[in-house]
Amino acid sequence: MKKFTLFTLFVTFTSVLFAQTPVIVPEGLETEIYIFSAKAVEEGTSTEPEDYTYQSRIGFDGNDMYIKGLSANTADMWLKATKNAEGKYVIPANQYMGQLNFGGWLGFDYYLAARDENDKAADVVLDFDAENNKFTTNQVVVLHESPEQWYPYQT
């Protein structure tokens, strides 16, 4: 019984010590529906990229863009991208999206990053085509569980 108690206290302590803060969205942000589409590998269900689409919401506040939901598991989670000097929108590597909870006792953290040629986390850089109202990237983008190493949910 003591080992279980100590383990529980350790997990609670480390969870509080390393708590992440999800993106805070400006109050009153107006959003529009965008279709997120990709060639995706869903961890545990496929090994080859398959067509993937999801209805996301995007809102703008100055040079910041806010994206709500990239998948069913992240439907209520937000990302924040900032427009750089080249007019591209940049999501910082390993941006914390939030936690998906099951029953209040089991939680899965979600982070987003691009995977670079050295298998390291990198910023996600989105090109914006204003004429077609479309964002694109050629990067490999990963929804994953930990900023320290790759535990992908979706690539």
Side-chain angles (χ1 to χ4, degrees):
M1 188 67 151
K2 285 184 180 178
K3 287 184 180 178
F4 182 74
T5 303
L6 290 174
F7 178 72
T8 303
L9 290 174
F10 176 73
V11 170
T12 303
F13 176 72
T14 56
S15 293
V16 170
L17 187 63
F18 298 109
Q20 298 286 331
T21 305
V23 170
I24 297 170
V25 178
E27 194 172 315
L29 181 72
E30 292 185 21
T31 62
E32 293 182 42
I33 294 172
Y34 280 71
I35 301 300
F36 173 70
S37 62
K39 291 284 189 186
V41 175
E42 190 87 27
E43 192 63 29
T45 62
S46 62
T47 55
E48 294 297 320
E50 300 173 1
D51 289 336
Y52 176 83
T53 59
Y54 188 78
Q55 186 172 299
S56 300
R57 298 201 68 87
I58 294 181
F60 296 90
D61 183 37
N63 283 331
D64 294 329
M65 173 180 63
Y66 295 86
I67 305 166
K68 183 180 181 189
L70 295 179
S71 68
N73 288 344
T74 64
D76 293 322
M77 298 179 193
W78 290 88
L79 290 164
K80 178 182 175 184
T82 300
K83 191 176 190 179
N84 67 15
E86 298 165 359
K88 298 176 186 227
Y89 286 87
V90 179
I91 301 169
N94 291 322
Q95 187 173 104
Y96 182 68
M97 295 178 69
Q99 188 175 75
L100 180 63
N101 286 300
F102 294 98
W105 59 274
L106 179 61
F108 296 93
D109 290 320
Y110 277 78
Y111 295 84
L112 185 85
R115 183 179 279 174
D116 71 12
E117 62 278 351
N118 297 314
D119 203 35
K120 303 288 183 201
D123 294 346
V124 176
V125 180
L126 303 170
D127 292 306
F128 182 58
D129 176 355
E131 187 176 313
N132 294 305
N133 213 27
K134 185 176 184 178
F135 293 92
T136 58
T137 187
N138 289 326
Q139 296 173 287
V140 174
V141 179
V142 184
L143 274 173
H144 61 104
E145 182 182 0
S146 169
E148 287 84 32
Q149 54 188 335
W150 296 114
Y151 292 114
Y153 297 121
Q154 202 169 32
T155 303

